[in-house]
Amino acid sequence: MLEQGARARLDPAGHQVVDVRVDRGYHPSTIVARAYVPLRLVFRREDADACSERVVFSSPHIERRLAAAGPTTIELPAQPPGEVRFTCGMGRYRGRIELVAKRAPSWLRRLRERVSRLETPLGTAFVLWICSLPLIALLAVLALDVTAAIAAAGAALIAWVAGCMWAYGRSPEPT
Ligand SMILES: [Cu+2]
């Protein structure tokens, strides 16, 4: 019987949690959880089969006894994307955890991260401004007169400085 992968939930404290019922197998037997976040599994036995007594994880290698009554909590550390398998002692009950990364960051966030890796906001703004001068010069040649080109260059400098201050100020990652 195919079982839909169950998503681990985030509790109010930010822990990633999933409940697993043990009754002639693991329910759910496929769990989807976030990579790079610790995962707490709360097992509850509902059968007295020898297979429900013990659970073994593939990564990291953890082996635990499950309480006959009441919950048994097992904490898995934060791990990269991939698959973690868990089985009973002899491999008859089987479950798997799919650890998936959050979706890729937006281009805006990536740009901000890249910019924030450079030295200082003003230094970065200056470098970017220098890089944009040929474009402004090209615009001056094509469409504008010299005064307008100087104004455009001034506006570009202000825009770069403002943009870099924003990128540095808002970046959550330490540089
Ligand atoms: Cu077994």
Side-chain angles (χ1 to χ4, degrees):
M1 187 177 69
L2 266 179
E3 226 174 328
Q4 188 79 318
R7 275 208 165 261
R9 64 176 192 275
L10 285 177
D11 75 5
H15 296 117
Q16 190 170 219
V17 186
V18 68
D19 295 300
V20 181
R21 222 159 43 75
V22 186
D23 185 9
R24 284 156 292 167
Y26 300 118
H27 311 279
S29 60
T30 301
I31 295 160
V32 180
R34 262 201 223 161
Y36 307 116
V37 178
L39 176 62
R40 175 178 296 173
L41 294 116
V42 183
F43 286 90
R44 277 188 180 79
R45 280 178 64 183
E46 291 184 2
D47 73 13
D49 198 298
C51 276
S52 19
E53 278 171 12
R54 210 159 251 292
V55 63
V56 183
F57 289 83
S58 65
S59 166
H61 189 84
I62 292 178
E63 199 173 331
R64 277 298 155 72
R65 234 190 139 71
L66 300 181
T72 302
T73 300
I74 297 172
E75 310 266 359
L76 297 184
Q79 296 187 83
E83 191 184 70
V84 175
R85 295 186 166 274
F86 57 100
T87 64
C88 67
M90 55 285 223
R92 196 153 70 81
Y93 290 2
R94 280 180 211 168
R96 50 192 287 273
I97 303 164
E98 266 173 50
L99 295 172
V100 293
K102 268 207 297 187
R103 64 195 178 82
S106 68
W107 65 270
L108 191 64
R109 190 184 156 87
R110 283 203 306 272
L111 179 69
R112 191 200 290 163
E113 278 168 9
R114 187 158 307 168
V115 168
S116 69
R117 253 178 252 130
L118 300 172
E119 302 234 315
T120 64
L122 290 178
T124 307
F126 189 67
V127 168
L128 292 170
W129 180 62
I130 299 279
C131 294
S132 65
L133 283 181
L135 186 66
I136 292 166
L138 181 67
L139 274 175
V141 169
L142 290 179
L144 309 164
D145 57 20
V146 176
T147 319
I150 290 169
L157 180 59
I158 291 166
W160 282 126
V161 169
C164 290
M165 300 294 265
W166 169 79
Y168 278 78
R170 298 272 296 277
S171 175
E173 280 79 21
T175 50

